[in-house]
Amino acid sequence: YKQSEIETVLNGQAPSEVCAGNPLMAAIKEGKHKDFAAYLLCAKKCESYNHSDSYWDEPEALPASDDPLVDELRQGYKATQDASLKWRYAFQIVRLLHYGGFWQEASLAYETLAKPLAKDDNELMYYWTLSQYAGVLHGMEENVRSSYLFSVVFDQCPSLRTPAWY
């Protein structure tokens, strides 16, 4: 769904026909899952930096390390008590900083936000975030640690085997 669709539902308005049958959107419209809805809005904003709807369109330029979106993600991380959402926020922050080439900030974000979380709280997001961190280490030319972490991701997370291999 598009960011505008989620905002419409959050404002209590009826969803479009595409979303009308979605039970999650109905629950959000009723005021449930506020933490998840807040995360979903942030994730949709992040999406514009690494995805475009058309093959011909360029994604937006990556944000600076002090971009308001990074701060919004950090605030969401602090505000939620849900471990699964904390993992998702941490992933988005590390990924944005990684792709922006802010190696030190991305490494610090991984160490302070993701590392303290228990792997068991969300194993998939653990490996997705670990993969981003391995890329950060590669960017910092810490190739031995980076290669080791990519090998762990390759071994433990089938959905990331191709990027971990590369």
Side-chain angles (χ1 to χ4, degrees):
Y1 302 115
K2 294 184 184 274
Q3 180 182 338
S4 59
E5 184 75 39
I6 299 162
E7 289 170 342
T8 298
V9 173
L10 274 172
N11 290 328
Q13 299 171 2
S16 69
E17 285 185 37
V18 174
C19 297
N22 185 314
L24 177 61
M25 292 300 259
I28 290 172
K29 185 176 181 263
E30 294 170 7
K32 299 175 184 172
H33 310 297
K34 289 184 181 191
D35 275 2
F36 180 75
Y39 167 74
L40 196 54
L41 278 176
C42 284
K44 283 296 182 182
K45 292 175 187 175
C46 294
E47 194 175 79
S48 66
Y49 291 107
N50 53 46
H51 170 77
S52 57
D53 290 333
S54 167
Y55 178 78
W56 301 105
D57 294 337
E58 290 287 325
E60 289 184 42
L62 289 161
S65 62
D66 62 350
D67 189 275
L69 177 55
V70 176
D71 188 50
E72 186 178 347
L73 290 163
R74 288 181 189 278
Q75 294 304 318
Y77 178 93
K78 289 177 188 173
T80 188
Q81 297 303 312
D82 185 300
S84 179
L85 288 178
K86 281 193 179 292
W87 268 115
R88 291 180 184 323
Y89 278 114
F91 168 76
Q92 294 289 357
I93 293 166
V94 172
R95 181 174 68 160
L96 280 178
L97 294 171
H98 169 208
Y99 288 172
F102 301 103
W103 312 123
Q104 295 299 327
E105 292 91 338
S107 179
L108 182 63
Y110 177 82
E111 294 290 333
T112 60
L113 302 175
K115 200 171 184 179
L117 298 172
K119 173 182 158 186
D120 297 340
D121 287 337
N122 194 325
E123 190 170 354
L124 182 62
M125 290 309 299
Y126 167 78
Y127 288 113
W128 279 71
T129 309
L130 188 64
S131 176
Q132 291 296 320
Y133 181 58
V136 167
L137 292 174
H138 179 74
M140 295 169 70
E141 298 183 7
E142 293 187 31
N143 295 328
V144 173
R145 286 179 59 203
S146 173
S147 295
Y148 171 73
L149 292 179
F150 275 128
S151 74
V152 170
V153 171
F154 181 90
D155 183 49
Q156 298 295 316
C157 188
S159 62
L160 286 175
R161 284 204 173 129
T162 301
W165 174 264
Y166 287 121

